[in-house]
Amino acid sequence: MSKLKISQHKNLWFERVMAITATVNLVLVFFDLSYVPWRDFYFRQVNGLTQLYDPIKGIEPHRDTKKYLEIVAELEEQVTQTGLISSQVKAKLETIRLLSKEMIETNPFAGAGKSGTLEKIKTRMREHIGQESAKSAFNTFWSQEYLSKNGWNQEIAFFNQKIRPGIAKNYYRKIDENGEFLDKFWIIDLPFIVLFAIELLGRTFLIKRRYSHLSWLEAILWRWYDILLLIPIWRYLRIIPVTIRLDQAKLIDFYVVRRQIHQGILANFAEEITEIVVVQVINQVQGSIRRGEITRWLLESDHLRSYIDINNINEVEAISGLLIKTLVNQVLPKIQPEVNAILCHSIAIACQQLPGYSNILLLPGLGKAQTQISEQLATQITNNIYAALSSTIKDPVAAKLSTQLIEKFTASFSSEIQQKQVLVEIQSLLNDFLEEVKINYIQRLSQEDIDKILEETRKMRTESSSSVSIRI
């Protein structure tokens, strides 16, 4: 294995390790963001997790609801020891009735945003007792008469299943010196930030060394998305660098996602940019027409035009001469048989229109002779035309005469269109034509399916790349 492949393999493994590390950090961030809204779920399903993570979010049991459940637990213990009918149980029940009244009046659930939980507790107790007042329902429930009549075990089981879980979910969240909820997630996040900061500094140093013309700020911005891993706020934005890293490390292929994002961006801007560019060009041309710049450029002689010649060659004349030579020397000889056939057919049609020609063909041998004469005549005509064109190209006198003809035609044409009425009409027609192009063509262009155009462009690029790779 070559040193280059070994280096690339090591780099890939480094990228994968860092991508996985960033993914772990992102998972922790999302868990932290979801912890408070989903704490009830975690409390029911993974109670041990809440015991570990509650201190990180500054969460602790609310002292009022905690005291309420502690007194209920003491009541259960007292009933086990002395039975339901005892002075100790009666005192406990009195305390619980007072705490129930206080809980309903002070609403200790409001601080955690769980007032709805208290309403559920009150509703369940009212329905269970059959009274409209929650205070009366709690007073009835926590009485020796009711518990004796309906059975202690059955009623305390109802409380533990329907009422206790709601009270147990309530909590108090500490406030820091800034008046914000206490949050110590930074303790977990700090090692990741330090690691990513060291990595970004290392990458910046390598980029600066490889591209010395870049400033340090430009080298840092080369991997701008990694900066999001260092910001302690808006941590959910870390999904951007994590996604890019997973793609770069080849752990997940986001080609389809990238293609759709690029296509969406291009589709949003392509229509407007195209319209702006085309309309701007047309407006500039219209301005030139209204100022008379184009007609002056067309009508002024060569020595008056402000034209920059970079090679002292009249490209128009050179291209015309090259095309004429190609036509005469290469194209006409190849199409001469077809030209002969057309001329033979034309000669035959012309002969048929002569008076008495049909009677002449009835004479023996004249029909075939006519065909031979037509072919010879056609061949002679094409040969003469080809010879004339060839001599024109080679003969300097003929070339000079052709040049004089072109110059005379240009001068005559220029002098005729210099008539003021003609110029005004040409300018008006050109301006109206360009305005129609803006109204009709640009409107149709804006209605084009940009996604279809991008798909065709991508397909063409893919086919081109495939053909290049095959040739290689």
Side-chain angles (χ1 to χ4, degrees):
M1 185 179 293
S2 64
K3 292 183 179 180
L4 179 60
K5 290 184 177 180
I6 294 175
S7 177
Q8 292 177 346
H9 185 70
K10 290 181 178 179
N11 290 339
L12 181 60
W13 274 106
F14 175 77
E15 293 290 346
R16 288 180 174 177
V17 170
M18 295 306 299
I20 293 173
T21 304
T23 303
V24 172
N25 177 247
L26 182 65
V27 170
L28 291 174
V29 166
F30 282 141
F31 170 75
D32 179 75
L33 293 175
S34 69
Y35 183 77
V36 173
W38 290 6
R39 184 182 178 276
D40 289 352
F41 171 79
Y42 296 136
F43 184 83
R44 291 193 307 269
Q45 304 298 329
V46 196
N47 186 258
L49 178 63
T50 58
Q51 295 178 5
L52 291 174
Y53 208 77
D54 275 355
I56 300 296
K57 307 301 288 185
I59 294 176
E60 59 185 24
H62 196 285
R63 59 185 180 184
D64 292 341
T65 51
K66 180 182 179 182
K67 180 180 179 181
Y68 189 97
L69 295 179
E70 288 176 349
I71 297 298
V72 172
E74 293 176 3
L75 173 64
E76 292 183 83
E77 181 67 22
Q78 191 65 49
V79 170
T80 303
Q81 294 177 0
T82 62
L84 183 61
I85 307 301
S86 65
S87 58
Q88 296 89 341
V89 171
K90 184 178 181 180
K92 295 289 183 184
L93 289 174
E94 180 65 26
T95 302
I96 295 175
R97 285 194 295 270
L98 292 175
L99 292 176
S100 298
K101 179 182 178 182
E102 182 181 346
M103 181 177 66
I104 294 173
E105 291 178 348
T106 60
N107 187 12
F109 295 83
K114 294 183 174 298
S115 296
T117 301
L118 177 60
E119 292 301 320
K120 290 180 181 179
I121 292 172
K122 290 160 61 177
T123 300
R124 289 176 180 177
M125 185 60 73
R126 286 196 300 265
E127 292 176 349
H128 183 70
I129 302 300
Q131 296 180 2
E132 295 182 358
S133 172
K135 293 180 181 180
S136 299
F138 272 97
N139 286 333
T140 301
F141 183 83
W142 296 116
S143 63
Q144 287 180 322
E145 296 80 9
Y146 177 83
L147 294 175
S148 299
K149 180 180 178 181
N150 293 276
W152 162 257
N153 293 329
Q154 180 179 344
E155 295 303 315
I156 199 64
F158 163 76
F159 178 84
N160 290 332
Q161 293 175 6
K162 301 296 183 179
I163 306 299
R164 177 186 288 273
I167 298 176
K169 292 176 185 177
N170 190 39
Y171 60 84
Y172 169 78
R173 192 171 181 186
K174 297 180 180 179
I175 306 295
D176 60 17
E177 296 178 354
N178 298 320
E180 302 290 339
F181 287 120
L182 184 67
D183 191 345
K184 297 181 180 180
F185 179 72
W186 64 270
I187 298 175
I188 299 175
D189 196 38
L190 183 61
F192 290 97
I193 293 178
V194 173
L195 176 62
F196 295 138
I198 294 173
E199 181 202 12
L200 180 59
L201 290 176
R203 290 182 184 273
T204 302
F205 175 77
L206 293 177
I207 293 172
K208 176 65 177 176
R209 188 173 67 174
R210 182 177 301 177
Y211 306 100
S212 57
H213 64 282
L214 296 177
S215 65
W216 284 105
L217 178 60
E218 291 173 336
I220 293 175
L221 294 179
W222 189 284
R223 291 179 64 91
W224 59 269
Y225 47 86
D226 284 343
I227 299 177
L228 298 176
L229 295 171
L230 311 180
I231 301 176
I233 58 176
W234 304 325
R235 294 188 180 100
Y236 56 87
L237 293 177
R238 296 182 186 182
I239 191 173
I240 297 174
V242 170
T243 302
I244 296 174
R245 284 170 173 262
L246 289 174
D247 185 49
Q248 292 176 343
K250 299 180 180 180
L251 293 174
I252 299 178
D253 188 5
F254 288 105
Y255 170 75
V256 176
V257 177
R258 292 200 311 272
R259 186 181 69 179
Q260 293 300 324
I261 292 175
H262 294 165
Q263 180 168 329
I265 295 174
L266 290 176
N268 288 333
F269 290 102
E271 179 181 323
E272 296 182 6
I273 292 175
T274 303
E275 290 183 4
I276 291 172
V277 171
V278 177
V279 171
Q280 184 178 11
V281 171
I282 293 177
N283 288 338
Q284 290 178 352
V285 175
Q286 286 179 314
S288 298
I289 293 174
R290 285 191 292 268
R291 292 189 298 269
E293 296 176 358
I294 292 181
T295 53
R296 286 198 301 270
W297 183 84
L298 291 173
L299 300 178
E300 288 176 352
S301 58
D302 292 338
H303 66 279
L304 294 177
R305 292 180 188 170
S306 177
Y307 184 79
I308 300 175
D309 194 347
I310 62 175
N311 55 7
N312 295 323
I313 296 176
N314 190 326
E315 287 80 4
V316 176
E317 293 182 0
I319 293 173
S320 300
L322 181 61
L323 292 176
I324 292 173
K325 289 180 180 180
T326 303
L327 177 65
V328 173
N329 296 331
Q330 299 180 14
V331 177
L332 288 180
K334 294 180 179 179
I335 66 173
Q336 186 172 359
E338 287 75 10
V339 175
N340 289 341
I342 293 174
L343 288 175
C344 286
H345 178 70
S346 299
I347 292 171
I349 295 298
C351 291
Q352 289 175 5
Q353 296 177 357
L354 294 175
Y357 178 75
S358 58
N359 296 328
I360 296 175
L361 292 179
L362 297 176
L363 298 176
L366 288 182
K368 182 179 294 186
Q370 184 273 336
T371 301
Q372 293 176 353
I373 292 172
S374 299
E375 292 177 355
Q376 292 177 2
L377 184 59
T379 302
Q380 188 64 34
I381 292 173
T382 55
N383 289 337
N384 291 338
I385 294 174
Y386 179 72
L389 292 174
S390 299
S391 64
T392 300
I393 294 174
K394 298 176 182 179
D395 187 2
V397 177
K400 183 178 180 180
L401 293 174
S402 300
T403 303
Q404 292 176 353
L405 175 62
I406 295 173
E407 291 177 353
K408 183 64 176 178
F409 172 80
T410 303
S412 300
F413 178 77
S414 299
S415 64
E416 290 299 325
I417 66 172
Q418 282 180 359
Q419 302 292 332
K420 184 176 181 180
Q421 182 179 359
V422 177
L423 285 176
V424 172
E425 188 174 355
I426 290 176
Q427 291 177 355
S428 176
L429 290 173
L430 285 175
N431 188 70
D432 293 342
F433 170 73
L434 292 174
E435 194 66 31
E436 291 175 359
V437 169
K438 284 196 297 186
I439 295 174
N440 297 290
Y441 177 73
I442 304 303
Q443 184 178 2
R444 290 198 300 270
L445 181 63
S446 65
Q447 294 172 353
E448 284 286 343
D449 187 356
I450 299 298
D451 292 334
K452 183 178 180 181
I453 295 175
L454 294 174
E455 187 64 30
E456 291 177 356
T457 304
R458 187 182 300 109
K459 182 179 179 181
M460 181 177 61
R461 189 185 304 116
T462 303
E463 292 176 352
S464 176
S465 302
S466 301
S467 61
V468 170
S469 61
I470 292 174
R471 287 198 299 269
I472 293 175

